[in-house]
Amino acid sequence: MKKFTIDRIEEGKAVLECENGEMVSLDLSALPKNVRKKLKDGDVLNFEENSCFLDKHETQARKLRIEKLMNEVFTD
């Protein structure tokens, strides 16, 4: 399984960040309709062979880690 994070969505494409930091662009039309409708910046997508799904748990955990880091950096 490969994990990607949605960096941004623009002009009918999702710009994905791979686990190794590489950025790739993917046509939104290549994603399943149920995934495509829900995508937001920061979401984690998992790809396995012929399927793709949003990883809600990883997305939430990632957002909490980022929020904690932001609080540590910007709190007196």
Side-chain angles (χ1 to χ4, degrees), residues 6 34-35 38-39 43-46 52-56 59:
I6 303 293
N34 63 329
V35 171
K38 300 176 185 177
L39 282 183
D43 282 347
V44 176
L45 285 176
N46 290 333
C52 166
F53 61 94
L54 288 171
D55 188 333
K56 293 178 185 179
T59 297

Side-chain angles (χ1 to χ4, degrees), residues 5-9 38-43 59 62-63:
T5 303
I6 303 293
D7 182 67
R8 64 188 178 280
I9 299 170
K38 300 176 185 177
L39 282 183
K40 300 181 303 283
D41 295 353
D43 282 347
T59 297
R62 188 175 181 279
K63 287 181 181 183

